[in-house]
Amino acid sequence: MDLWEQVHPELGFPLRYGDYGAVHPAPLPPSGPSPRAQPNPYLHYSLRRHRLTVARRIPGRKGLVVPSGAMEQYFREVAEEVVEDQDFAGPRFSWGDRCLHRCRTDPSISVGTAEWWIAYATSHHLARLSHHPPGTPPVSRSDR
């Protein structure tokens, strides 16, 4: 905190914190009066020493117009790929991991907007940081 207080005024521009485990800390501003386009489905999933990024491009997308149900369909594919990865933490690791695990087969889990994807990834990321702070040895998969 002392370093932050000394450096921040000297920069002349806002310095934002971000460890980038789930999303950039400063979202892009909307362009003009029109609503901002939702991104294609993606997920940044933080692991012990790196980040897994999984994304899908929505076919047939025209500008801001996304085919009905496409965001949900393709995010569920993203979730499937993350859950099937050997480094998936498991559904009991965090609320976000539980939602990722369940959303593949449970249509009641909300997955149609980036806000939900970010919430799932952030939940997982915060649990990862609290369970395995930087510098601690990794936990074996059987300990989950």
Side-chain angles (χ1 to χ4, degrees):
M1 190 62 171
D2 291 335
L3 177 61
W4 169 264
E5 289 174 350
Q6 290 175 13
V7 171
H8 186 257
E10 301 294 322
L11 292 175
F13 61 88
L15 179 64
R16 295 180 177 95
Y17 168 77
D19 65 10
Y20 305 94
V23 68
H24 191 284
L28 295 173
S31 57
S34 65
R36 185 168 69 167
Q38 283 288 326
N40 285 310
Y42 73 93
L43 188 76
H44 298 299
Y45 192 80
S46 57
L47 301 168
R48 174 105 174 99
R49 300 199 188 281
H50 63 282
R51 177 175 67 183
L52 173 65
T53 297
V54 179
R56 292 292 184 276
R57 188 170 299 267
I58 297 177
R61 182 176 185 158
K62 293 178 175 47
L64 297 178
V65 179
V66 177
S68 179
M71 299 293 266
E72 294 86 354
Q73 174 189 346
Y74 289 100
F75 184 78
R76 290 180 201 285
E77 286 184 14
V78 165
E80 181 72 34
E81 189 171 333
V82 170
V83 168
E84 293 300 319
D85 188 275
Q86 67 178 0
D87 291 323
F88 177 63
R92 294 186 304 190
F93 188 75
S94 72
W95 169 82
D97 288 289
R98 190 166 40 261
C99 290
L100 287 172
H101 190 265
R102 285 185 51 215
C103 82
R104 301 165 308 129
T105 57
D106 184 350
S108 70
I109 304 290
S110 297
V111 297
T113 64
E115 289 80 11
W116 284 110
W117 315 334
I118 292 166
Y120 302 150
T122 300
S123 168
H124 165 79
H125 185 63
L126 293 175
R128 167 131 336 261
L129 289 175
S130 67
H131 295 321
H132 310 292
T136 60
V139 175
S140 72
R141 295 184 63 81
S142 63
D143 290 342
R144 283 194 229 151

